[in-house]
């Protein structure tokens, strides 16, 4: 495997898995106050496009990496939106 | 421009710019409690690798997109680390 391919693989692994600690923290603490709602809305949209891009290009690494990132980002976004609804009710 | 290229461009724009609202929120509120330190450490490392990958491949979109993402993620990480130091002192 070329140096650049190895680098790209490790980079994809890191930027994908980096969202896992944030998911765990959000599910444990339910605290999303400091998280930006607009960041996660735009990010989820962008990652969805990357997923479609990967499928169109039949690029397995991009498809797999962005499927996980999308899953993690959607969980964070879901808890953030839930908290905002509860804040409005109270 | 091919459909997939256009999609990739918009995806890169979204996933890059999505961090800007989080930077603004962190600089305004100085609140980073809900943000995961390990997420941003791993993410900054991963994005740095994407930047090196883009330079090695002379891929301008990947290089430019990840330069901005790295800048935004480093600002967030810096404020998060600063807050942790202050928490330890108090």
């Amino acid at each position: 495997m070329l140096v650049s391919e190895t680098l790209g693989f490790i980079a994809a692994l890191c930027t994908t898995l980096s969202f896992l600690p944030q998911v765990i923290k959000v599910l444990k603490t339910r605290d999303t106050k400091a998280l930006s709602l607009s960041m996660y809305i735009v990010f989820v949209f962008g990652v969805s496009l990357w997923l479609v891009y990967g499928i169109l290009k039949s690029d397995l690494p991009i498809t797999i990496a962005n499927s996980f990132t999308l899953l993690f980002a959607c969980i964070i976004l879901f808890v953030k939106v839930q908290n905002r609804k509860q804040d409005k009710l109270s």
Side-chain angles (χ1 to χ4, degrees), chain A residues 21-37 40 75-84 86-87:
Chain A
Q22 185 68 73
V23 170
I24 293 165
K25 185 171 178 128
V26 160
L27 292 179
K28 256 194 206 164
T29 65
R30 309 302 288 191
D31 176 11
T32 57
K33 192 164 165 269
L35 301 183
S36 161
L37 178 63
Y40 278 91
I75 293 169
I76 296 166
L77 181 59
F78 177 76
V79 177
K80 176 74 184 176
V81 169
Q82 260 196 333
N83 284 350
R84 272 173 69 103
Q86 273 156 23
D87 292 349

Side-chain angles (χ1 to χ4, degrees), chain A residues 4-21:
Chain A
S4 55
E5 260 59 50
T6 315
L7 213 64
F9 179 74
I10 300 168
L13 204 66
C14 287
T15 46
T16 297
L17 292 181
S18 67
F19 282 86
L20 193 52

Side-chain angles (χ1 to χ4, degrees), chain A residues 30-88:
Chain A
R30 309 302 288 191
D31 176 11
T32 57
K33 192 164 165 269
L35 301 183
S36 161
L37 178 63
S38 23
M39 166 178 164
Y40 278 91
I41 290 171
V42 176
F43 187 77
V44 162
F45 178 68
V47 170
S48 311
L49 292 185
W50 274 126
L51 186 54
V52 172
Y53 176 85
I55 293 165
L56 285 180
K57 290 260 191 178
S58 339
D59 184 315
L60 207 57
I62 287 185
T63 306
I64 293 172
N66 284 284
S67 313
F68 280 99
T69 309
L70 186 59
L71 173 68
F72 297 150
C74 282
I75 293 169
I76 296 166
L77 181 59
F78 177 76
V79 177
K80 176 74 184 176
V81 169
Q82 260 196 333
N83 284 350
R84 272 173 69 103
K85 278 184 197 162
Q86 273 156 23
D87 292 349
K88 279 181 185 158

